Amino acid sequence: MNKEAIDALLQKINDSATREGNARTKTIVNRIVRDLFYTIEDLDVTPSEFWTALNYLGETGQSGEFGLLAAGLGFEHFLDARLDEKEAKAGLEGGTPRTIEGPLYVAGAPESIGHARLDDGTDPGETLVMRGRVLNDDGKPLANALVEVWHANHLGNYSHFDRSQPVFNLRRSIRTGADGKYAFTSVVPVGYSVPPGGKTQQLLDQLGRHGHRPAHIHFFVSAPGYRKLTTQINIDGDPYLWDDFAFATREGLVPEVKKAEGADGKPYGVQGNFALIDFDFALVSERSDVPTTEVDRARAAA
Ligand code: MBD
Ligand code: FE
């Protein structure tokens, strides 16, 4: 079909509306349908290819892997890049770089003040202490900020989604004290890989891509009056550090992992050798001229 014929068909479909509906939904859906009609025409997509793709999407939804697919196809990073650009255009700069949330956050983790232990002592990974402060735009410590942290175990698996782990294993919320400090004790995580037999891996195979992430730790950092920060730090030295299937590694989010021992671990109840990461989070003040960083998204809760 030529473009005029496709446009006429689209017009007929759009004109079939007899009720107001939702203006924003209409704009977005009509645009996506138009782009897909053009794609089918330009690439001469066959009926078999179309129905195979539709079935793929259905099965991906059923398997709960849409969040994973969105990360792997770069959509989640793209949304970050667009928000970065809007902030830059509004002259908003500074603060810790954001990077993607990913699909594996679980709301409701236990909250403590100043320090938390994330692991239950059974994970064979290397002991980790991460500590630092939450700062504002002026570099002043922020009391009462909330640091939500979650990461994978020594097999790259996340509690809740991996039912073999205790509830909220490697997930906690830590409130900063008057000094703006947070600290946690845990084990060094291992990089995540998409489920080998799953729908995401199936498509990555077709695209000639891998489904590995470098070892990382996720954070939401929030405080009243400040823009909520969604970010991660990466464990330096990981072979996938700059080859993340979700494109989330960024300059400024790869802190040094120090070797520590003895007295350094005392304040955290840690003995012997351990890995130590010092990392300060910097928040920027909330403003009305840039989109909010609070994102509506269906999230697991326990
Ligand atoms: C993860 O742990 C993750 O952070 C992302 C973005 C996708 C899949 C698994
Ligand atoms: Fe993750």
Side-chain angles (χ1 to χ4, degrees):
M1 276 167 82
N2 63 32
K3 189 167 174 298
E4 287 66 36
I6 293 174
D7 289 347
L9 178 53
L10 287 163
Q11 194 61 54
K12 198 170 128 184
I13 294 167
N14 295 352
D15 288 347
S16 70
T18 57
R19 290 175 296 131
E20 198 176 4
N22 179 285
R24 179 71 175 159
T25 304
K26 281 200 281 191
T27 302
I28 294 171
V29 171
N30 290 347
R31 169 60 186 266
I32 291 172
V33 171
R34 189 190 74 182
D35 288 351
L36 281 179
F37 277 23
Y38 289 172
T39 301
I40 290 169
E41 179 65 33
D42 292 349
L43 304 183
D44 199 17
V45 171
T46 67
S48 296
E49 286 173 329
F50 177 82
W51 294 115
T52 300
L54 204 72
N55 188 58
Y56 172 82
L57 293 175
E59 289 182 356
T60 301
Q62 276 181 349
S63 71
E65 285 195 23
F66 263 137
L68 202 53
L69 192 64
L73 292 179
F75 283 102
E76 205 176 356
H77 178 66
F78 177 59
L79 297 176
D80 276 351
R82 294 193 68 248
L83 199 43
D84 286 350
E85 182 184 50
K86 283 185 204 284
E87 287 182 348
K89 280 191 176 145
L92 198 172
E93 52 192 45
T96 301
R98 68 168 50 82
T99 200
I100 68 173
E101 172 182 335
L104 303 177
Y105 172 79
V106 179
E111 189 177 318
S112 55
I113 297 170
H115 175 267
R117 179 165 181 179
L118 276 55
D119 68 304
D120 70 349
T122 64
D123 191 296
E126 183 185 6
T127 301
L128 168 71
V129 172
M130 180 164 166
R131 64 183 182 186
R133 295 168 302 166
V134 179
L135 307 173
N136 71 6
D137 330 51
D138 303 323
K140 300 247 161 50
L142 276 174
N144 249 314
L146 191 66
V147 177
E148 297 178 77
V149 51
W150 69 103
H151 68 77
N153 69 0
H154 68 287
L155 299 173
N157 296 328
Y158 285 79
S159 66
H160 184 85
F161 304 96
D162 169 14
R163 294 287 176 182
S164 77
Q165 295 182 45
V167 175
F168 289 120
N169 195 40
L170 311 179
R171 302 175 182 276
R172 289 295 185 277
S173 297
I174 305 157
R175 235 176 238 292
T176 59
D179 51 9
K181 286 186 180 170
Y182 78 91
F184 63 85
T185 306
S186 194
V187 290
V188 178
V190 163
Y192 169 96
S193 299
V194 306
K199 303 307 293 183
T200 303
Q201 185 63 58
Q202 186 187 336
L203 185 60
L204 290 172
D205 285 343
Q206 296 273 312
L207 298 174
R209 293 181 46 202
H210 69 73
H212 304 298
R213 298 211 62 211
H216 60 278
I217 303 175
H218 294 267
F219 300 94
F220 286 149
V221 185
S222 55
Y226 291 86
R227 287 168 70 69
K228 178 177 177 174
L229 171 67
T230 299
T231 197
Q232 308 175 23
I233 60 114
N234 285 104
I235 305 298
D236 201 4
D238 191 293
Y240 290 100
L241 184 61
W242 294 101
D243 187 21
D244 178 9
F245 102 105
F247 315 101
T249 310
R250 298 187 66 168
E251 228 51 82
L253 298 177
V254 190
E256 184 189 350
V257 183
K258 293 171 269 198
K259 301 257 168 256
E261 59 179 350
D264 286 342
K266 231 179 169 177
Y268 315 107
V270 170
Q271 289 171 345
N273 298 332
F274 63 97
L276 176 63
I277 296 176
D278 284 299
F279 193 86
D280 290 341
F281 295 98
L283 300 185
V284 294
S285 296
E286 193 52 277
R287 303 169 34 153
S288 54
D289 59 343
V290 278
T292 179
T293 52
E294 292 275 4
V295 176
D296 289 333
R297 177 172 181 169
R299 295 180 176 91

